[in-house]
Amino acid sequence: MPYVDGQQQYPQEPQYQEQQQYPQYQEQPQYQQHPQYQGQPQYQQEPQYQQQVQYQQQTHQQQAYQQHQETYGGQGWDTGQVPVGPDQNRGFEPNAGFDPQYANAAPSADPYAGADPYAQQQASGYPGEAPDLYGTPEAFPPPRPPGRRHLEPEERWQEEEVKADEAEDSFLGGGDDGDDDEPGGRRGRSGGKPKKRSGMACLIAAVVIVGVLGGGGYYGYSYIKDKFASAEDFAGSGIDETVDVEIPKGAGLGQMGRILKQAGVVASAQAFVDAANANPKGKAIQPGVYPLKKKMSAASAVEVMTDPSKLHVLTISEGMRNTTVYDAIDRKLEKPAGTTKDIAFREAKNLGLPAWANNDPKLMDPLEGFLYPMRYDLTKDSTPESLLKQMVKNATDKYGELGVEGKAKELGLENPIQVITVASLVNAEGKNHDDFRKMSEVVYNRLKKTNDVTNRKIQFDSTYNYVKGTSEINFNLTEAKAFVHPYNTHNVAGLPPGPIGNPGLDALTATLSPDHGGWMFFVSVDGDKTTFTKTYDEHLKLVDEFQARQKQKTENGG
């Protein structure tokens, strides 16, 4: 090898620049000369040569570091070069520069070990020159200088515009419009005319914005209107179109208002709530069926619903007779008078009576005592027959619940129908539950065979009134005793053939559980309170007092 200025020159081989691919060179503990020079005088390296090697190492390290850290478009881009440093196990840290502690260190391996000194060597322009790694077509683009690694404002805007256009094409389903593709598959403009945004995208964006603003404005307007504006309401008493509106049990004013609005009666539920709160009786509206007109003002609807007579229901009161019930059904259903009574007598066996119901031919009405007293809601589908069936079913169910059939013999009665008959007598004569219990005791005591005071005659005025179809208190007792009829207990002994009304729950329970006080007589002196006695003498005194009060009322025109 030639000598220059007393120094032997070692041309740089291309393997040195890629020595990271040959790990066997990195593990050698010391610099070794070529085997050909073994036994010959070794040339000690001069400081100038050491500095030259160090300079070459620094140059390669910086190039590898720059290639390794190069970024493109804000994303990490690996150039494929592995940093080479004095210590291969150490490597480079991303944010660290060249470590000065290796500046004066000797190389850890001989890059020329095992090389043929007589082989053809690639000429270099100057010592330490790196080959061009980006000359081939498949190579990555060269890294930008440090001062150009961040995009200029104009370039950044152009690249962001490219990204926005690509996103727009993806959203609208657009395809390639002829733009060139950059290396690495990255699409962008290459000096062409700037791409305009799609008019369809602008239209869609405008529609979305208008929709959002419009929807928000509508709901905001609705909220303000509902919060501060007066509720929508009709005027007047409604049009000439009637609908039946059913208010269920437990419904509040708000639910009532919604039901009425759905039926077309009121304009808004809030208007009904406001009107009901303004009416003193508004909170006492009862559940049931109301015949109301459409498009009524809320106040008019409340006025109708607070009037019990306008409630489209039929209420059977305790002790009411069947004749009164039939007339009420005809009126409520707008049927000719006598329609319901005819159906009751004609279809009695088909209306659901229990098997133990009395079929005595002396019965004045086979359904008497079986039209259970309660409120019945009427609808457009209600008929006399359907109402009668419902009433009979309710009575039969209640009698079965109370065990009427099994307790008849316990009470000394012949059959269950007599239990209902006693209850009807008690309900007709008494005024409250306490009266009912004492009244039932009177009936049982007078029915006993040992009764020699009335000779087993009940002697209730209510039975005579039932036969006559009246409700008189003052009548001629002599005439009553002379009137012969199976139901007239002033004339015949024992119970009448059947009930004289429809007893309620209080009268039924009192009949099943009498007072057992030994009572035989009773009289209501003042027409309000009933007084019970055990002896006939006590009873006569009360009768005299009662007659004196009645005479005084007659004289005073009362």
Side-chain angles (χ1 to χ4, degrees):
M1 301 298 292
Y3 290 82
V4 180
D5 295 334
Q7 298 291 335
Q8 185 178 2
Q9 299 297 316
Y10 295 89
Q12 302 295 322
E13 296 186 11
Q15 292 87 345
Y16 177 78
Q17 298 173 0
E18 298 179 359
Q19 62 179 338
Q20 68 273 19
Q21 301 178 4
Y22 302 95
Q24 63 269 21
Y25 297 150
Q26 302 172 8
E27 302 294 334
Q28 296 180 6
Q30 63 182 2
Y31 179 83
Q32 296 179 0
Q33 294 186 357
H34 196 278
Q36 180 179 350
Y37 297 98
Q38 293 180 0
Q40 297 182 6
Q42 299 184 2
Y43 299 95
Q44 184 176 1
Q45 296 179 354
E46 296 295 334
Q48 180 179 359
Y49 174 77
Q50 296 177 357
Q51 294 178 358
Q52 181 178 358
V53 173
Q54 294 172 0
Y55 173 77
Q56 294 174 357
Q57 292 176 349
Q58 295 178 12
T59 301
H60 287 291
Q61 290 172 353
Q62 292 176 358
Q63 291 178 354
Y65 176 73
Q66 292 176 0
Q67 296 172 8
H68 184 69
Q69 294 295 325
E70 181 63 32
T71 59
Y72 190 106
Q75 298 180 353
W77 173 48
D78 188 359
T79 62
Q81 298 295 327
V82 179
V84 180
D87 187 358
Q88 294 298 327
N89 294 328
R90 181 176 182 270
F92 281 95
E93 297 179 0
N95 298 322
F98 177 70
D99 193 343
Q101 66 177 325
Y102 297 100
N104 298 322
S108 59
D110 182 7
Y112 306 104
D116 187 0
Y118 301 102
Q120 182 68 26
Q121 303 294 327
Q122 180 178 356
S124 298
Y126 54 87
E129 180 181 6
D132 184 6
L133 302 180
Y134 311 102
T136 59
E138 65 273 7
F140 287 99
R144 292 189 178 186
R148 294 287 294 172
R149 290 180 182 178
H150 299 285
L151 297 175
E152 296 297 330
E154 182 178 0
E155 294 177 352
R156 186 192 304 274
W157 179 85
Q158 291 177 354
E159 182 162 339
E160 290 177 354
E161 184 179 8
V162 170
K163 292 180 179 179
D165 291 341
E166 291 177 353
E168 179 181 314
D169 291 341
S170 176
F171 174 75
L172 297 177
D176 189 359
D177 58 356
D179 288 345
D180 295 336
D181 291 342
E182 290 184 356
R186 192 173 187 82
R187 293 186 58 194
R189 292 182 176 84
S190 57
K193 187 176 181 180
K195 184 176 180 180
K196 294 184 179 179
R197 297 187 181 276
S198 171
M200 180 61 69
C202 296
L203 178 60
I204 292 177
V207 171
V208 172
I209 293 173
V210 171
V212 171
L213 294 178
Y218 172 77
Y219 285 110
Y221 169 76
S222 301
Y223 174 80
I224 294 175
K225 180 180 178 182
D226 294 341
K227 195 72 175 178
F228 301 102
S230 58
E232 185 178 359
D233 196 3
F234 293 127
S237 58
I239 62 176
D240 191 15
E241 183 178 354
T242 304
V243 293
D244 291 336
V245 180
E246 183 176 1
I247 302 299
K249 294 181 180 179
L253 294 178
Q255 183 178 356
M256 293 181 187
R258 290 189 292 273
I259 294 174
L260 293 175
K261 182 180 183 303
Q262 186 176 4
V265 176
V266 298
S268 65
Q270 187 60 46
F272 176 81
V273 173
D274 295 341
N277 288 327
N279 192 310
K281 300 179 181 179
K283 295 183 179 180
I285 297 176
Q286 298 296 317
V289 179
Y290 294 87
L292 300 170
K293 293 183 178 180
K294 286 190 174 183
K295 296 186 177 181
M296 299 177 67
S297 67
S300 299
V302 172
E303 189 68 25
V304 172
M305 297 174 72
T306 53
D307 184 357
S309 64
K310 300 298 178 63
L311 185 64
H312 202 35
V313 297
L314 177 63
T315 302
I316 308 301
S317 59
E318 295 182 357
M320 183 179 288
R321 299 172 186 169
N322 279 8
T323 54
T324 305
V325 175
Y326 299 148
D327 292 342
I329 293 175
D330 289 341
R331 290 194 302 271
K332 283 291 184 180
L333 298 184
E334 299 179 354
K335 300 294 182 180
T339 300
T340 304
K341 183 178 180 179
D342 291 342
I343 294 174
F345 279 79
R346 185 176 65 251
E347 301 293 336
K349 295 181 179 181
N350 301 322
L351 297 177
L353 289 171
W356 48 265
N358 194 354
N359 293 322
D360 192 329
K362 297 178 181 179
L363 285 173
M364 293 184 63
D365 188 338
L367 296 184
E368 194 75 68
F370 288 94
L371 304 182
Y372 193 73
M374 60 178 296
R375 197 185 78 178
Y376 295 88
D377 295 331
L378 305 179
T379 65
K380 62 181 180 180
D381 297 327
S382 296
T383 62
E385 187 175 1
S386 67
L387 286 175
L388 293 175
K389 286 183 177 181
Q390 186 177 359
M391 293 175 183
V392 172
K393 182 180 184 304
N394 290 340
T396 303
D397 292 345
K398 181 59 65 176
Y399 298 157
E401 178 184 340
L402 296 175
V404 169
E405 187 174 2
K407 292 185 177 181
K409 294 182 178 180
E410 296 180 8
L411 297 171
L413 302 175
E414 298 178 1
N415 50 57
I417 193 65
Q418 288 190 343
V419 178
I420 310 304
T421 301
V422 174
S424 66
L425 296 173
V426 168
N427 212 144
E429 297 285 348
K431 299 182 182 300
N432 51 57
H433 187 71
D434 185 60
D435 284 356
F436 293 159
R437 293 192 65 202
K438 292 179 179 180
M439 202 74 65
S440 62
E441 175 69 5
V442 170
V443 173
Y444 291 136
N445 286 334
R446 290 187 181 185
L447 288 176
K448 292 180 179 179
K449 295 179 180 181
T450 57
N451 173 19
D452 55 2
V453 179
T454 64
N455 296 318
R456 297 186 66 246
K457 291 182 181 179
I458 302 297
Q459 294 182 344
F460 278 12
D461 295 344
S462 55
T463 58
Y464 179 75
N465 283 325
Y466 180 77
V467 173
K468 293 292 186 177
T470 61
S471 297
E472 296 292 335
I473 297 178
N474 298 320
F475 56 83
N476 191 314
L477 185 57
T478 303
E479 292 180 1
K481 290 181 178 179
F483 182 73
V484 179
H485 193 279
Y487 277 81
N488 182 14
T489 58
H490 282 288
N491 183 270
V492 297
L495 292 171
I500 62 173
N502 295 284
L505 182 60
D506 275 354
L508 287 168
T509 56
T511 299
L512 297 176
S513 179
D515 180 78
H516 295 297
W519 311 111
M520 284 289 293
F521 303 95
F522 63 92
V523 64
S524 178
V525 178
D526 56 2
D528 183 28
K529 181 180 179 180
T530 304
T531 304
F532 293 86
T533 61
K534 298 179 181 179
T535 64
Y536 186 63
D537 294 337
E538 293 174 334
H539 173 66
L540 290 179
K541 292 180 182 181
L542 294 176
V543 171
D544 292 341
E545 184 178 349
F546 171 76
Q547 290 177 349
R549 283 177 175 269
Q550 293 299 113
K551 183 178 179 181
Q552 185 177 0
K553 287 182 179 181
T554 302
E555 292 176 355
N556 294 335

